[in-house]
């Protein structure tokens, strides 16, 4: 699932079967709100993120470098 570190937004495979669409929705949420999105393969939200969200958000967005 993907989930927001700043609010209750989340999206899992039950809600959106397409992994591509989940990534798009996560990016849209980040763009719309400036919130940090994290992701995990587990179905439930982990209790404490170990890595700053900004690093993970950058990984979600395609780079042109
Ligand atoms: Zn959020």
């Amino acid at each position: 699932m993907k989930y927001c570190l700043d609010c209750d937004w989340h999206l899992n495979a039950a809600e959106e079967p397409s992994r591509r669409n989940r990534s798009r929705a996560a990016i849209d949420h980040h763009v719309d709100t400036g919130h940090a999105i994290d992701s995990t393969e587990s179905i439930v939200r982990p209790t404490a993120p170990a890595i700053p969200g900004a690093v993970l958000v950058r990984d979600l967005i395609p780079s042109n470098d």
Side-chain angles (χ1 to χ4, degrees), residues 4-9 29 33 35 37:
C4 183
L5 299 178
D6 295 311
C7 74
D8 289 334
W9 184 93
H29 183 73
T33 63
H35 291 174
I37 307 298

Side-chain angles (χ1 to χ4, degrees), residues 28-62:
D28 285 348
H29 183 73
H30 170 67
V31 170
D32 287 346
T33 63
H35 291 174
I37 307 298
D38 202 348
S39 64
T40 175
E41 294 305 310
S42 70
I43 199 73
V44 296
R45 183 181 184 128
T47 52
I51 304 173
V55 174
L56 295 161
V57 169
R58 191 171 59 211
D59 289 343
L60 289 173
I61 300 172

